[in-house]
Amino acid sequence: MLSGTFILTEDIVRALGEQGNRIYLLNLSKVGEEWFSRELKIYLEEIGNQENAAGIKLKNRYKCKNRKPWYGVPIVQNGTLFFFKRYDKIPRICVNEAHIHTTDIAYNMRLHPGYDEKSLAFCFYNTLTLTQCEYYGRYYAGGVLELTPSEFKSLVIPYRTIQKEDIDRLSGMFKEHESIEKIINFVDSKTIEEDWEDKKITKLNDMRKKLTARRFQQ
């Protein structure tokens, strides 16, 4: 469902839960054990002592052993946007209307005053920024590409305020699983095409396609 999502709403999150997806995280980091039920204590004891292939218990593995308590997962402040750090065909930014928290598969983004989150998310899908994603990202098996926080901060996004009807149209394009090229062409028409010559955009787009093809050949 998220593959066709540009704006994450509470309705989408609710539907994910109704489909049996795990969408909730129990935050026990600041709850005293005296408040735990008997069943919860048994569960934590069992799961904490589960061993991996190397015989190391879950509670003694790198991240858990450095936490106090070991099951206290740190809750990172959510953002108005989040960016999935790994992708195959196209990087993804979502507008976080549902105010969800994310795991480490996505980066939270909080904007300075004066910037509109939907406009920034819209502008992200232009040829220049997507080409930079391909250039700065690192490849994994199967053509998967990842951007670290420092690499993501290097991206240039030609920001401008976007009209609601254009944002709604882009959201609809994602929902209808329109082709990547149609999405990019539409965003380009509202961003870099207003300042750049067509031949410059075409050259960048060719570069993006070559970089994308190359990582799938690795």
Side-chain angles (χ1 to χ4, degrees):
M1 179 178 286
L2 284 180
S3 63
T5 301
F6 174 68
I7 300 175
L8 185 66
T9 63
E10 291 184 2
D11 288 342
I12 293 175
V13 174
R14 189 180 304 109
L16 287 169
E18 291 172 350
Q19 293 170 8
N21 294 285
R22 298 177 179 180
I23 61 173
Y24 296 104
L25 174 64
L26 182 60
N27 183 8
L28 299 174
S29 58
K30 297 180 180 180
V31 180
E33 290 190 13
E34 67 272 14
W35 295 99
F36 291 4
S37 66
R38 177 176 175 275
E39 291 78 9
L40 178 57
K41 290 179 180 178
I42 293 173
Y43 170 76
L44 291 174
E45 180 67 21
E46 290 179 350
I47 198 171
N49 287 311
Q50 288 182 359
E51 298 181 351
N52 60 13
I56 303 175
K57 295 180 179 180
L58 175 62
K59 63 184 179 182
N60 294 328
R61 295 178 206 171
Y62 178 73
K63 287 186 178 181
C64 290
K65 73 177 181 180
N66 291 314
R67 294 172 181 161
K68 301 295 181 184
W70 68 265
Y71 49 79
V73 180
I75 306 297
V76 178
Q77 181 183 351
N78 60 7
T80 54
L81 301 165
F82 57 88
F83 174 81
F84 291 100
K85 66 181 183 181
R86 290 184 180 178
Y87 67 92
D88 52 0
K89 296 180 181 179
I90 188 173
R92 296 299 310 278
I93 275 185
C94 282
V95 180
N96 190 11
E97 272 195 358
H99 307 294
I100 66 166
H101 293 268
T102 62
T103 64
D104 60 358
I105 66 170
Y107 304 131
N108 289 284
M109 300 170 62
R110 292 175 288 278
L111 306 182
H112 288 292
Y115 288 93
D116 173 62
E117 61 269 15
K118 291 181 181 179
S119 292
L120 189 140
F122 180 102
C123 295
F124 174 84
Y125 291 101
N126 73 89
T127 295
L128 171 63
T129 304
L130 297 182
T131 302
Q132 290 178 315
C133 288
E134 293 293 331
Y135 181 78
Y136 288 120
R138 54 194 68 191
Y139 302 166
Y140 288 86
V144 174
L145 187 142
E146 177 178 323
L147 286 167
T148 65
S150 60
E151 292 161 349
F152 184 84
K153 290 177 182 178
S154 300
L155 301 178
V156 174
I157 301 177
Y159 174 84
R160 62 193 64 202
T161 302
I162 305 298
Q163 298 298 314
K164 181 181 184 302
E165 57 266 26
D166 292 326
I167 291 172
D168 291 343
R169 180 179 172 188
L170 181 63
S171 181
M173 294 175 77
F174 275 108
K175 288 178 182 177
E176 296 299 323
H177 299 282
E178 293 274 9
S179 71
I180 293 172
E181 299 308 316
K182 285 185 178 180
I183 288 173
I184 295 173
N185 288 339
F186 175 57
V187 173
D188 281 353
S189 71
K190 303 296 179 180
T191 54
I192 59 177
E193 282 186 12
E194 297 187 7
D195 301 308
W196 289 11
E197 296 180 355
D198 290 345
K199 62 181 181 180
K200 187 174 183 179
I201 298 173
T202 299
K203 186 175 181 179
L204 263 178
N205 203 29
D206 289 342
M207 184 187 301
R208 175 186 63 81
K209 291 178 181 179
K210 288 179 181 178
L211 289 170
T212 301
R214 186 177 68 181
R215 64 182 166 90
F216 279 100
Q217 294 169 357
Q218 297 295 316

